[in-house]
Amino acid sequence: MSNVRTRFAPSPTGFMHVGNLRTGLYAYLTAKSQGGQFVLRIEDTDQERLVEGAVDVIYRTLGRVGLEHDEGPDTGGPYGPYVQSQRLETYRPYAEQLVKEGKAYYCFCTKERLEQLHEQGFGGYDRHCRDLSQEEVGRLLDAGTPYVIRQKVPLTGSTTFQDAVFGEITIENKEIEDQVLIKADDYPTYNFANVIDDHLMNITHVVRGCEYLTSTPKYQMLYEALGWEQPTYIHLPLIMGRNEDGSTSKLAKRHGSTSFEGLVEDGYLPEVITNYIALLGWAPKDNQEVFSLQELVENFSVDRISKSPAVFDYDKLNWFNGEYIKAMSDEEFRAKAMPYYKEVFGDVEKPWEVLDTILRARLTKFKEIPGLLGFFKELPDYPTDFFVNKKSKTNLENSPKMLEAAIETLEQLPVWELEVIHEAMINLAQKLEVKNGTLLWPVRIAAAGTLVTPGGAMEILTLLGREEALDRLRAGLSELA
Ligand code: GLU
Protein backbone atom coordinates (compact mmCIF):
# COMPACT_ATOMS: atom_id res chain seq x y z
CA MET A 1 0.00 0.00 0.00
CA SER A 2 1.35 3.42 -0.93
CA ASN A 3 0.95 6.45 1.29
CA VAL A 4 -1.20 8.28 -1.25
CA ARG A 5 -4.39 9.42 0.42
CA THR A 6 -7.12 11.40 -1.30
CA ARG A 7 -10.48 12.53 -0.10
CA PHE A 8 -13.82 13.36 -1.55
CA ALA A 9 -15.29 16.14 0.57
CA PRO A 10 -18.78 16.92 -0.66
CA SER A 11 -21.06 19.38 1.07
CA PRO A 12 -24.52 17.87 1.45
CA THR A 13 -26.41 20.42 -0.57
CA GLY A 14 -28.76 18.23 -2.59
CA PHE A 15 -28.11 16.59 -5.90
CA MET A 16 -24.81 15.13 -6.99
CA HIS A 17 -23.78 17.45 -9.79
CA VAL A 18 -21.70 15.77 -12.49
CA GLY A 19 -18.83 18.12 -11.61
CA ASN A 20 -18.92 16.88 -8.03
CA LEU A 21 -19.09 13.32 -9.06
CA ARG A 22 -16.15 13.83 -11.37
CA THR A 23 -14.18 15.27 -8.45
CA GLY A 24 -15.03 12.18 -6.42
CA LEU A 25 -14.14 9.88 -9.27
CA TYR A 26 -10.80 11.56 -9.97
CA ALA A 27 -9.94 11.58 -6.27
CA TYR A 28 -10.75 7.87 -6.15
CA LEU A 29 -8.73 7.17 -9.28
CA THR A 30 -5.78 9.25 -8.08
CA ALA A 31 -5.62 7.12 -4.95
CA LYS A 32 -6.44 3.75 -6.42
CA SER A 33 -4.20 4.06 -9.48
CA GLN A 34 -1.33 4.44 -7.00
CA GLY A 35 -2.46 1.82 -4.53
CA GLY A 36 -3.60 4.47 -2.04
CA GLN A 37 -6.54 5.19 0.20
CA PHE A 38 -9.73 7.06 -0.61
CA VAL A 39 -11.49 8.92 2.18
CA LEU A 40 -15.03 10.30 2.30
CA ARG A 41 -15.52 13.39 4.41
CA ILE A 42 -18.80 15.26 4.75
CA GLU A 43 -18.31 19.02 4.87
CA ASP A 44 -21.40 20.33 6.56
CA THR A 45 -20.19 23.35 8.49
CA ASP A 46 -22.23 25.70 6.38
CA GLN A 47 -25.46 24.92 8.16
CA GLU A 48 -27.45 27.34 6.02
CA ARG A 49 -26.78 25.36 2.90
CA LEU A 50 -27.69 21.99 4.34
CA VAL A 51 -30.44 20.05 2.62
CA GLU A 52 -32.18 17.16 4.30
CA GLY A 53 -31.46 13.78 2.84
CA ALA A 54 -28.47 15.12 0.91
CA VAL A 55 -26.01 12.89 2.74
CA ASP A 56 -28.01 9.87 1.61
CA VAL A 57 -27.74 11.10 -1.95
CA ILE A 58 -23.96 11.08 -1.55
CA TYR A 59 -23.83 7.52 -0.20
CA ARG A 60 -26.30 6.25 -2.74
CA THR A 61 -24.47 7.82 -5.66
CA LEU A 62 -21.05 6.62 -4.59
CA GLY A 63 -22.51 3.17 -4.06
CA ARG A 64 -24.10 3.04 -7.50
CA VAL A 65 -20.97 4.28 -9.19
CA GLY A 66 -18.82 1.86 -7.21
CA LEU A 67 -16.53 4.41 -5.57
CA GLU A 68 -15.88 2.54 -2.38
CA HIS A 69 -14.22 4.59 0.31
CA ASP A 70 -11.66 3.12 2.67
CA GLU A 71 -12.58 5.54 5.43
CA GLY A 72 -15.68 7.63 5.99
CA PRO A 73 -18.59 8.38 8.28
CA ASP A 74 -20.19 4.98 7.74
CA THR A 75 -17.07 2.84 7.47
CA GLY A 76 -15.11 4.64 10.20
CA GLY A 77 -11.32 4.79 10.24
CA PRO A 78 -8.41 6.04 12.32
CA TYR A 79 -8.99 9.76 11.64
CA GLY A 80 -12.69 10.07 12.41
CA PRO A 81 -15.17 11.46 12.88
CA TYR A 82 -15.47 12.09 9.16
CA VAL A 83 -18.33 14.55 9.37
CA GLN A 84 -17.19 18.09 10.09
CA SER A 85 -20.14 19.00 12.29
CA GLN A 86 -19.12 16.11 14.55
CA ARG A 87 -15.58 17.39 14.99
CA LEU A 88 -16.27 21.03 15.74
CA GLU A 89 -14.03 21.11 18.80
CA THR A 90 -11.09 20.16 16.57
CA TYR A 91 -10.69 23.50 14.86
CA ARG A 92 -10.67 26.25 17.47
CA PRO A 93 -7.42 25.21 19.22
CA TYR A 94 -5.52 25.67 15.95
CA ALA A 95 -7.00 29.13 15.50
CA GLU A 96 -6.17 30.04 19.10
CA GLN A 97 -2.64 28.81 18.56
CA LEU A 98 -2.32 31.15 15.57
CA VAL A 99 -3.64 34.03 17.69
CA LYS A 100 -1.00 33.27 20.32
CA GLU A 101 1.70 33.25 17.69
CA GLY A 102 0.53 36.59 16.32
CA LYS A 103 -0.64 35.02 13.04
CA ALA A 104 -4.34 35.51 13.68
CA TYR A 105 -6.46 37.92 15.70
CA TYR A 106 -9.83 38.43 17.29
CA CYS A 107 -12.08 40.65 15.26
CA PHE A 108 -14.97 42.30 17.07
CA CYS A 109 -16.40 44.17 14.12
CA THR A 110 -20.16 43.99 14.05
CA LYS A 111 -22.18 42.81 11.12
CA GLU A 112 -23.46 46.39 10.73
CA ARG A 113 -19.95 47.77 10.49
CA LEU A 114 -19.01 45.21 7.86
CA GLU A 115 -22.17 45.96 5.92
CA GLN A 116 -21.36 49.65 6.02
CA LEU A 117 -17.91 48.92 4.65
CA HIS A 118 -19.50 46.96 1.89
CA GLU A 119 -21.93 49.76 1.11
CA GLN A 120 -19.07 52.22 0.95
CA GLY A 121 -17.67 50.04 -1.81
CA PHE A 122 -14.88 48.58 0.27
CA GLY A 123 -14.12 45.14 -1.11
CA GLY A 124 -13.33 42.81 1.76
CA TYR A 125 -12.30 43.68 5.30
CA ASP A 126 -10.36 46.80 6.26
CA ARG A 127 -8.31 45.08 8.98
CA HIS A 128 -9.80 47.36 11.63
CA CYS A 129 -9.14 44.91 14.50
CA ARG A 130 -5.80 43.64 13.24
CA ASP A 131 -3.77 45.90 15.48
CA LEU A 132 -5.92 46.30 18.58
CA SER A 133 -3.86 46.49 21.76
CA GLN A 134 -3.72 43.50 24.10
CA GLU A 135 -5.63 45.52 26.70
CA GLU A 136 -8.37 46.46 24.30
CA VAL A 137 -8.77 42.84 23.24
CA GLY A 138 -8.84 41.74 26.86
CA ARG A 139 -11.45 44.35 27.70
CA LEU A 140 -13.71 43.36 24.79
CA LEU A 141 -13.37 39.67 25.59
CA ASP A 142 -14.19 40.27 29.25
CA ALA A 143 -17.25 42.21 28.22
CA GLY A 144 -18.39 39.17 26.27
CA THR A 145 -18.26 40.98 22.91
CA PRO A 146 -18.90 38.54 20.07
CA TYR A 147 -15.94 38.02 17.78
CA VAL A 148 -14.53 36.03 14.92
CA ILE A 149 -10.94 34.89 14.50
CA ARG A 150 -9.21 36.16 11.38
CA GLN A 151 -5.91 35.22 9.87
CA LYS A 152 -3.26 37.95 9.69
CA VAL A 153 -2.44 37.72 6.03
CA PRO A 154 0.99 39.15 5.14
CA LEU A 155 0.60 42.63 3.68
CA THR A 156 3.48 42.40 1.26
CA GLY A 157 5.07 39.74 -0.89
CA SER A 158 3.31 37.03 -2.84
CA THR A 159 2.21 33.47 -2.41
CA THR A 160 3.06 30.79 -4.92
CA PHE A 161 1.84 27.25 -5.20
CA GLN A 162 2.22 24.41 -7.63
CA ASP A 163 -0.80 22.73 -9.08
CA ALA A 164 -0.34 19.35 -10.73
CA VAL A 165 -2.63 20.40 -13.59
CA PHE A 166 -2.49 24.19 -13.81
CA GLY A 167 1.20 24.58 -12.98
CA GLU A 168 2.69 27.36 -10.89
CA ILE A 169 0.28 30.00 -9.65
CA THR A 170 1.30 33.18 -7.86
CA ILE A 171 -0.92 35.70 -6.19
CA GLU A 172 0.01 39.01 -4.53
CA ASN A 173 -0.64 38.83 -0.80
CA LYS A 174 -2.27 42.23 -0.83
CA GLU A 175 -5.06 40.73 -2.92
CA ILE A 176 -6.00 38.43 -0.09
CA GLU A 177 -8.17 39.60 2.75
CA ASP A 178 -7.74 38.62 6.38
CA GLN A 179 -9.90 35.55 6.13
CA VAL A 180 -12.15 34.40 8.93
CA LEU A 181 -11.08 31.10 10.50
CA ILE A 182 -13.65 30.77 13.29
CA LYS A 183 -17.03 32.39 12.96
CA ALA A 184 -18.98 34.19 15.72
CA ASP A 185 -21.14 31.09 16.20
CA ASP A 186 -17.97 29.11 16.99
CA TYR A 187 -18.16 27.23 13.70
CA PRO A 188 -15.00 27.08 11.61
CA THR A 189 -15.19 28.55 8.13
CA TYR A 190 -15.19 26.12 5.33
CA ASN A 191 -11.69 27.14 4.24
CA PHE A 192 -10.23 26.68 7.69
CA ALA A 193 -11.88 23.35 8.50
CA ASN A 194 -10.85 22.02 5.12
CA VAL A 195 -7.15 22.69 5.71
CA ILE A 196 -7.17 21.35 9.27
CA ASP A 197 -8.98 18.19 8.24
CA ASP A 198 -6.84 17.53 5.19
CA HIS A 199 -3.80 17.77 7.41
CA LEU A 200 -5.15 15.72 10.31
CA MET A 201 -6.44 13.06 7.93
CA ASN A 202 -3.05 12.83 6.26
CA ILE A 203 -4.40 13.72 2.85
CA THR A 204 -1.53 13.76 0.36
CA HIS A 205 -3.40 14.80 -2.80
CA VAL A 206 -6.23 17.31 -2.83
CA VAL A 207 -8.41 16.84 -5.91
CA ARG A 208 -11.05 19.50 -6.49
CA GLY A 209 -12.70 21.64 -9.13
CA CYS A 210 -10.85 24.63 -10.50
CA GLU A 211 -13.36 27.00 -8.90
CA TYR A 212 -11.16 26.52 -5.81
CA LEU A 213 -8.01 27.59 -7.60
CA THR A 214 -8.32 31.20 -6.41
CA SER A 215 -8.81 30.09 -2.78
CA THR A 216 -5.73 27.91 -2.81
CA PRO A 217 -3.27 30.70 -1.88
CA LYS A 218 -5.36 31.15 1.26
CA TYR A 219 -4.97 27.48 2.06
CA GLN A 220 -1.30 27.74 1.31
CA MET A 221 -0.96 30.64 3.79
CA LEU A 222 -2.65 28.57 6.44
CA TYR A 223 -0.33 25.64 5.88
CA GLU A 224 2.58 28.05 6.13
CA ALA A 225 1.25 29.71 9.28
CA LEU A 226 0.67 26.34 10.90
CA GLY A 227 4.03 25.03 9.75
CA TRP A 228 2.48 22.09 7.95
CA GLU A 229 3.50 20.40 4.76
CA GLN A 230 1.13 21.06 1.88
CA PRO A 231 -0.65 18.37 -0.07
CA THR A 232 -0.28 18.09 -3.83
CA TYR A 233 -3.02 20.09 -5.50
CA ILE A 234 -4.89 18.66 -8.45
CA HIS A 235 -7.44 21.12 -9.78
CA LEU A 236 -9.83 19.85 -12.43
CA PRO A 237 -10.90 21.78 -15.53
CA LEU A 238 -14.30 23.38 -15.90
CA ILE A 239 -17.16 21.38 -17.35
CA MET A 240 -19.00 23.23 -20.11
CA GLY A 241 -22.23 22.63 -21.97
CA ARG A 242 -22.83 23.35 -25.63
CA ASN A 243 -25.31 26.13 -26.37
CA GLU A 244 -27.72 26.12 -29.28
CA ASP A 245 -25.55 28.51 -31.25
CA GLY A 246 -22.56 26.18 -30.89
CA SER A 247 -20.76 28.26 -28.26
CA THR A 248 -20.05 26.78 -24.84
CA SER A 249 -20.72 27.98 -21.32
CA LYS A 250 -20.58 26.47 -17.86
CA LEU A 251 -22.74 23.34 -17.77
CA ALA A 252 -26.23 24.28 -16.62
CA LYS A 253 -29.75 22.89 -16.52
CA ARG A 254 -30.65 24.34 -19.89
CA HIS A 255 -28.04 22.04 -21.49
CA GLY A 256 -29.70 18.93 -20.03
CA SER A 257 -29.60 16.98 -16.78
CA THR A 258 -26.61 17.98 -14.71
CA SER A 259 -26.91 15.64 -11.77
CA PHE A 260 -26.12 11.95 -11.53
CA GLU A 261 -29.67 11.20 -10.51
CA GLY A 262 -31.15 13.27 -13.30
CA LEU A 263 -29.04 11.40 -15.83
CA VAL A 264 -30.05 8.03 -14.40
CA GLU A 265 -33.66 9.11 -14.63
CA ASP A 266 -33.05 10.12 -18.25
CA GLY A 267 -32.07 6.51 -18.88
CA TYR A 268 -28.28 6.54 -18.73
CA LEU A 269 -26.68 3.56 -17.02
CA PRO A 270 -24.63 4.43 -13.93
CA GLU A 271 -21.52 2.79 -15.38
CA VAL A 272 -21.96 4.82 -18.57
CA ILE A 273 -22.14 8.05 -16.61
CA THR A 274 -18.98 7.07 -14.74
CA ASN A 275 -17.20 6.10 -17.92
CA TYR A 276 -18.20 9.29 -19.64
CA ILE A 277 -17.32 11.69 -16.86
CA ALA A 278 -13.97 9.98 -16.46
CA LEU A 279 -13.17 11.40 -19.89
CA LEU A 280 -14.20 14.95 -18.98
CA GLY A 281 -10.73 16.28 -18.42
CA TRP A 282 -8.65 13.13 -18.54
CA ALA A 283 -7.33 11.62 -21.78
CA PRO A 284 -6.31 7.98 -21.99
CA LYS A 285 -3.05 7.11 -23.72
CA ASP A 286 -4.65 5.47 -26.73
CA ASN A 287 -8.04 5.84 -28.34
CA GLN A 288 -9.85 3.54 -25.99
CA GLU A 289 -13.08 5.13 -24.82
CA VAL A 290 -15.02 2.40 -23.08
CA PHE A 291 -13.63 1.78 -19.61
CA SER A 292 -14.93 -0.12 -16.63
CA LEU A 293 -14.10 1.37 -13.26
CA GLN A 294 -11.36 -1.22 -12.83
CA GLU A 295 -9.88 -0.34 -16.21
CA LEU A 296 -9.94 3.31 -15.24
CA VAL A 297 -7.97 2.48 -12.11
CA GLU A 298 -5.44 0.63 -14.25
CA ASN A 299 -5.09 3.40 -16.81
CA PHE A 300 -5.56 6.63 -14.90
CA SER A 301 -2.69 9.02 -14.37
CA VAL A 302 -2.72 12.56 -13.04
CA ASP A 303 -0.36 13.83 -15.72
CA ARG A 304 -2.99 13.17 -18.37
CA ILE A 305 -5.51 15.53 -16.79
CA SER A 306 -6.00 18.57 -18.98
CA LYS A 307 -6.56 22.13 -17.87
CA SER A 308 -8.70 23.04 -20.87
CA PRO A 309 -12.42 23.05 -20.20
CA ALA A 310 -14.21 19.82 -21.03
CA VAL A 311 -17.49 19.85 -22.91
CA PHE A 312 -20.31 17.63 -21.69
CA ASP A 313 -21.69 16.20 -24.89
CA TYR A 314 -25.09 14.53 -24.54
CA ASP A 315 -24.84 12.95 -28.01
CA LYS A 316 -21.65 11.26 -26.99
CA LEU A 317 -23.30 10.08 -23.80
CA ASN A 318 -26.09 8.53 -25.89
CA TRP A 319 -23.51 6.78 -28.00
CA PHE A 320 -21.85 5.38 -24.89
CA ASN A 321 -25.14 4.15 -23.54
CA GLY A 322 -25.91 2.36 -26.80
CA GLU A 323 -22.46 0.76 -26.82
CA TYR A 324 -22.92 -0.51 -23.28
CA ILE A 325 -26.30 -1.94 -24.18
CA LYS A 326 -24.86 -3.76 -27.18
CA ALA A 327 -22.05 -5.21 -25.11
CA MET A 328 -24.22 -6.39 -22.20
CA SER A 329 -24.66 -10.07 -21.41
CA ASP A 330 -27.98 -11.56 -22.52
CA GLU A 331 -29.07 -11.95 -18.90
CA GLU A 332 -28.33 -8.35 -18.00
CA PHE A 333 -30.08 -7.07 -21.10
CA ARG A 334 -33.19 -9.10 -20.30
CA ALA A 335 -33.18 -8.03 -16.67
CA LYS A 336 -32.98 -4.37 -17.58
CA ALA A 337 -35.49 -4.62 -20.44
CA MET A 338 -38.08 -6.73 -18.62
CA PRO A 339 -39.76 -3.97 -16.58
CA TYR A 340 -40.40 -2.15 -19.86
CA TYR A 341 -41.60 -5.32 -21.64
CA LYS A 342 -44.09 -5.73 -18.82
CA GLU A 343 -45.23 -2.18 -19.31
CA VAL A 344 -46.14 -3.05 -22.89
CA PHE A 345 -47.34 -6.64 -22.62
CA GLY A 346 -48.54 -6.84 -19.03
CA ASP A 347 -48.29 -10.32 -17.63
CA VAL A 348 -48.63 -12.08 -20.97
CA GLU A 349 -45.62 -14.30 -21.72
CA LYS A 350 -43.91 -13.62 -25.03
CA PRO A 351 -40.92 -15.09 -26.78
CA TRP A 352 -38.73 -12.46 -25.17
CA GLU A 353 -35.58 -13.54 -26.98
CA VAL A 354 -37.17 -12.34 -30.24
CA LEU A 355 -37.64 -8.92 -28.71
CA ASP A 356 -34.16 -8.88 -27.17
CA THR A 357 -32.62 -9.46 -30.57
CA ILE A 358 -34.54 -6.80 -32.44
CA LEU A 359 -34.07 -4.18 -29.73
CA ARG A 360 -30.52 -4.64 -28.63
CA ALA A 361 -28.92 -3.25 -31.76
CA ARG A 362 -31.03 -0.13 -31.89
CA LEU A 363 -31.60 0.94 -28.31
CA THR A 364 -29.89 4.00 -26.92
CA LYS A 365 -31.75 3.79 -23.64
CA PHE A 366 -33.99 1.12 -22.13
CA LYS A 367 -36.66 3.67 -21.43
CA GLU A 368 -37.22 4.01 -25.19
CA ILE A 369 -38.74 0.51 -25.22
CA PRO A 370 -42.39 1.36 -24.48
CA GLY A 371 -42.33 4.05 -27.15
CA LEU A 372 -40.80 1.72 -29.72
CA LEU A 373 -43.25 -1.06 -28.94
CA GLY A 374 -46.38 1.04 -28.52
CA PHE A 375 -48.00 -0.48 -31.62
CA PHE A 376 -48.09 -3.89 -29.94
CA LYS A 377 -50.41 -2.60 -27.28
CA GLU A 378 -52.81 -1.03 -29.68
CA LEU A 379 -52.94 -0.98 -33.45
CA PRO A 380 -52.59 2.64 -34.53
CA ASP A 381 -54.98 4.15 -37.05
CA TYR A 382 -53.04 4.26 -40.26
CA PRO A 383 -53.75 5.48 -43.78
CA THR A 384 -53.92 2.94 -46.59
CA ASP A 385 -51.16 4.65 -48.50
CA PHE A 386 -48.73 3.12 -45.97
CA PHE A 387 -49.13 0.01 -48.12
CA VAL A 388 -47.56 1.77 -51.08
CA ASN A 389 -43.80 1.31 -51.15
CA LYS A 390 -41.66 1.71 -54.19
CA LYS A 391 -38.66 -0.25 -53.04
CA SER A 392 -40.77 -3.25 -52.06
CA LYS A 393 -42.85 -2.81 -55.24
CA THR A 394 -46.10 -2.70 -53.32
CA ASN A 395 -49.21 -0.74 -54.19
CA LEU A 396 -52.90 -0.72 -53.46
CA GLU A 397 -53.56 -3.50 -56.01
CA ASN A 398 -51.04 -6.11 -54.99
CA SER A 399 -51.13 -5.42 -51.24
CA PRO A 400 -54.57 -7.02 -50.64
CA LYS A 401 -53.49 -10.03 -52.68
CA MET A 402 -50.38 -10.41 -50.54
CA LEU A 403 -52.38 -10.08 -47.35
CA GLU A 404 -54.92 -12.61 -48.46
CA ALA A 405 -52.25 -15.16 -49.32
CA ALA A 406 -50.41 -14.50 -46.07
CA ILE A 407 -53.55 -14.94 -43.99
CA GLU A 408 -54.36 -18.19 -45.71
CA THR A 409 -50.88 -19.57 -45.11
CA LEU A 410 -50.57 -18.35 -41.54
CA GLU A 411 -53.96 -19.77 -40.59
CA GLN A 412 -52.67 -23.20 -41.37
CA LEU A 413 -49.47 -23.08 -39.36
CA PRO A 414 -49.31 -25.85 -36.78
CA VAL A 415 -47.28 -23.76 -34.33
CA TRP A 416 -46.77 -20.03 -33.95
CA GLU A 417 -43.02 -19.64 -33.80
CA LEU A 418 -40.58 -17.34 -35.50
CA GLU A 419 -38.77 -20.05 -37.49
CA VAL A 420 -42.01 -21.59 -38.69
CA ILE A 421 -43.52 -18.25 -39.68
CA HIS A 422 -40.27 -17.29 -41.36
CA GLU A 423 -40.11 -20.41 -43.48
CA ALA A 424 -43.77 -20.21 -44.42
CA MET A 425 -43.46 -16.59 -45.58
CA ILE A 426 -40.31 -17.17 -47.62
CA ASN A 427 -41.90 -20.17 -49.31
CA LEU A 428 -45.04 -18.21 -49.97
CA ALA A 429 -43.11 -15.38 -51.65
CA GLN A 430 -41.42 -17.93 -53.86
CA LYS A 431 -44.71 -19.55 -54.73
CA LEU A 432 -46.22 -16.17 -55.59
CA GLU A 433 -43.12 -15.32 -57.59
CA VAL A 434 -42.62 -11.99 -55.81
CA LYS A 435 -39.72 -10.48 -53.90
CA ASN A 436 -39.83 -11.22 -50.19
CA GLY A 437 -40.33 -7.49 -49.61
CA THR A 438 -43.44 -7.39 -51.79
CA LEU A 439 -45.09 -9.91 -49.52
CA LEU A 440 -43.63 -8.72 -46.23
CA TRP A 441 -44.19 -4.98 -46.57
CA PRO A 442 -48.00 -5.13 -46.52
CA VAL A 443 -47.91 -7.81 -43.84
CA ARG A 444 -45.74 -5.64 -41.60
CA ILE A 445 -47.87 -2.55 -42.20
CA ALA A 446 -51.08 -4.39 -41.40
CA ALA A 447 -49.52 -6.02 -38.33
CA ALA A 448 -47.96 -2.86 -36.91
CA GLY A 449 -49.93 0.04 -38.42
CA THR A 450 -46.78 2.08 -38.50
CA LEU A 451 -44.02 2.68 -41.04
CA VAL A 452 -40.99 2.28 -38.85
CA THR A 453 -40.83 -0.67 -36.52
CA PRO A 454 -38.11 -2.41 -34.60
CA GLY A 455 -37.91 -5.83 -36.20
CA GLY A 456 -39.53 -7.05 -39.39
CA ALA A 457 -42.91 -8.54 -40.27
CA MET A 458 -42.13 -12.03 -39.01
CA GLU A 459 -40.86 -10.94 -35.62
CA ILE A 460 -43.89 -8.73 -35.19
CA LEU A 461 -46.28 -11.53 -36.14
CA THR A 462 -44.54 -13.84 -33.71
CA LEU A 463 -44.79 -11.39 -30.84
CA LEU A 464 -48.42 -10.48 -31.53
CA GLY A 465 -49.48 -14.09 -31.21
CA ARG A 466 -51.61 -16.00 -33.66
CA GLU A 467 -55.00 -14.54 -32.92
CA GLU A 468 -54.05 -10.89 -32.70
CA ALA A 469 -51.75 -11.16 -35.72
CA LEU A 470 -54.43 -12.67 -37.92
CA ASP A 471 -57.03 -10.18 -36.71
CA ARG A 472 -54.77 -7.30 -37.69
CA LEU A 473 -54.00 -8.76 -41.10
CA ARG A 474 -57.71 -9.25 -41.75
CA ALA A 475 -58.44 -5.71 -40.63
CA GLY A 476 -55.80 -4.44 -43.04
CA LEU A 477 -57.25 -6.46 -45.83
CA SER A 478 -60.75 -5.11 -45.26
CA GLU A 479 -59.43 -1.57 -45.32
CA LEU A 480 -58.04 -2.24 -48.76
CA ALA A 481 -61.05 -4.03 -50.12
N1 GLU B 1 -16.99 20.80 0.28
C1 GLU B 1 -16.47 21.30 -0.93
C2 GLU B 1 -17.50 21.17 -2.03
O1 GLU B 1 -18.44 20.42 -1.90
C3 GLU B 1 -15.24 20.50 -1.32
C4 GLU B 1 -14.11 21.32 -1.78
C5 GLU B 1 -12.82 20.55 -1.70
O2 GLU B 1 -12.75 19.47 -2.26
O3 GLU B 1 -11.93 20.99 -1.01
O4 GLU B 1 -17.42 21.82 -3.02
Side-chain angles (χ1 to χ4, degrees):
M1 198 167 73
S2 75
N3 63 356
V4 171
R5 287 173 59 82
T6 64
R7 87 307 193 260
F8 180 40
S11 301
T13 52
F15 288 112
M16 180 74 86
H17 188 272
V18 291
N20 266 334
L21 184 58
R22 183 193 57 174
T23 300
L25 176 63
Y26 280 36
Y28 173 87
L29 294 174
T30 300
K32 295 300 159 188
S33 62
Q34 303 179 74
Q37 303 275 297
F38 174 60
V39 178
L40 174 65
R41 180 173 77 225
I42 303 295
E43 301 205 321
D44 58 350
T45 55
D46 194 348
Q47 297 286 326
E48 276 165 34
R49 287 174 66 215
L50 292 192
V51 175
E52 239 197 79
V55 176
D56 294 333
V57 172
I58 295 169
Y59 288 132
R60 207 174 332 125
T61 311
L62 294 183
R64 287 186 82 172
V65 173
L67 302 188
E68 252 175 65
H69 44 278
D70 301 290
E71 296 165 29
D74 49 349
T75 37
Y79 304 100
Y82 292 89
V83 179
Q84 284 185 331
S85 61
Q86 290 167 17
R87 44 193 288 121
L88 288 176
E89 67 289 353
T90 311
Y91 310 107
R92 175 174 276 276
Y94 292 101
E96 296 288 0
Q97 177 197 326
L98 292 177
V99 173
K100 251 190 232 122
E101 293 170 1
K103 297 171 181 164
Y105 59 93
Y106 298 119
C107 168
F108 300 94
C109 289
T110 57
K111 225 173 158 180
E112 291 71 38
R113 180 171 186 277
L114 296 176
E115 271 162 18
Q116 252 172 18
L117 274 183
H118 192 72
E119 274 161 26
Q120 286 159 13
F122 196 93
Y125 176 59
D126 64 355
R127 301 189 159 117
H128 180 264
C129 296
R130 183 168 163 130
D131 297 312
L132 293 182
S133 66
Q134 283 271 347
E135 295 72 50
E136 181 70 355
V137 171
R139 192 184 63 73
L140 288 164
L141 286 180
D142 287 345
T145 322
Y147 65 91
V148 301
I149 300 182
R150 287 186 187 269
Q151 190 184 4
K152 236 181 218 179
V153 169
L155 301 175
T156 56
S158 60
T159 299
T160 298
F161 70 94
Q162 288 291 337
D163 182 83
V165 176
F166 287 80
E168 186 175 289
I169 295 187
T170 299
I171 205 152
E172 295 301 316
N173 291 342
K174 62 173 190 296
E175 309 280 330
I176 299 176
E177 74 167 322
D178 284 356
Q179 56 177 326
V180 175
L181 307 179
I182 301 286
K183 296 184 268 192
D185 61 4
D186 205 31
Y187 268 68
T189 54
Y190 162 69
N191 284 343
F192 188 54
N194 184 275
V195 166
I196 304 287
D197 284 345
D198 282 343
H199 174 75
L200 295 180
M201 294 180 181
N202 272 331
I203 300 303
T204 59
H205 294 66
V206 167
V207 181
R208 57 160 77 106
C210 63
E211 64 274 20
Y212 287 96
L213 213 43
T214 51
S215 305
T216 306
K218 293 187 191 172
Y219 302 139
Q220 156 102 353
M221 285 179 169
L222 277 172
Y223 281 105
E224 279 169 8
L226 291 158
W228 290 344
E229 196 187 327
Q230 279 191 77
T232 300
Y233 290 111
I234 301 170
H235 284 95
L236 308 180
L238 281 175
I239 300 180
M240 316 294 277
R242 198 173 299 287
N243 302 320
E244 267 170 28
D245 64 1
S247 63
T248 59
S249 54
K250 206 168 170 220
L251 185 67
K253 285 246 167 62
R254 70 196 145 86
H255 296 120
S257 292
T258 57
S259 69
F260 175 78
E261 279 170 333
L263 290 169
V264 170
E265 214 161 283
D266 287 349
Y268 299 105
L269 302 163
E271 54 273 41
V272 167
I273 303 170
T274 313
N275 187 159
Y276 183 60
I277 69 170
L279 301 174
L280 289 176
W282 170 77
K285 272 204 215 74
D286 48 30
N287 292 332
Q288 184 178 348
E289 288 188 294
V290 176
F291 287 93
S292 65
L293 187 57
Q294 187 48 35
E295 287 171 318
L296 286 171
V297 169
E298 284 155 19
N299 285 276
F300 187 82
S301 70
V302 171
D303 58 5
R304 299 193 65 83
I305 300 177
S306 156
K307 61 181 171 189
S308 358
V311 179
F312 195 99
D313 179 346
Y314 291 88
D315 293 336
K316 186 80 194 208
L317 191 61
N318 285 334
W319 175 83
F320 265 107
N321 219 57
E323 289 305 296
Y324 268 74
I325 290 176
K326 283 192 202 103
M328 247 173 212
S329 70
D330 292 347
E331 293 72 38
E332 196 183 351
F333 183 90
R334 175 74 59 82
K336 293 221 156 62
M338 192 48 92
Y340 297 105
Y341 290 173
K342 296 256 176 235
E343 223 175 273
V344 178
F345 296 102
D347 285 330
V348 184
E349 277 301 309
K350 292 285 174 186
W352 303 123
E353 64 288 347
V354 175
L355 258 188
D356 293 349
T357 313
I358 59 180
L359 287 176
R360 190 193 270 263
R362 75 181 63 219
L363 275 189
T364 303
K365 297 167 178 175
F366 284 100
K367 66 185 294 183
E368 294 163 350
I369 292 176
L372 287 170
L373 303 185
F375 64 87
F376 278 110
K377 241 176 151 168
E378 197 180 348
L379 180 67
D381 268 337
Y382 61 97
T384 46
D385 62 9
F386 275 15
F387 286 106
V388 182
N389 183 268
K390 218 167 165 191
K391 204 166 144 243
S392 304
K393 298 196 165 53
T394 58
N395 49 47
L396 297 180
E397 279 96 70
N398 63 6
S399 287
K401 293 195 184 101
M402 295 298 129
L403 284 178
E404 217 166 51
I407 293 166
E408 207 186 296
T409 304
L410 291 167
E411 276 173 343
Q412 283 159 34
L413 290 185
V415 281
W416 198 260
E417 279 170 10
L418 181 59
E419 289 72 36
V420 178
I421 295 172
H422 188 271
E423 207 186 301
M425 289 292 104
I426 302 298
N427 288 343
L428 178 60
Q430 251 176 26
K431 199 174 117 199
L432 297 171
E433 294 178 352
V434 296
K435 289 187 3 167
N436 290 343
T438 310
L439 171 66
L440 295 176
W441 180 274
V443 171
R444 190 176 61 88
I445 293 299
T450 175
L451 285 172
V452 183
T453 55
M458 315 198 256
E459 284 88 358
I460 295 169
L461 291 174
T462 309
L463 286 159
L464 282 171
R466 184 193 297 264
E467 210 175 315
E468 176 70 12
L470 286 169
D471 277 354
R472 289 186 180 196
L473 297 193
R474 287 182 199 117
L477 180 58
S478 66
E479 283 298 312
L480 288 167

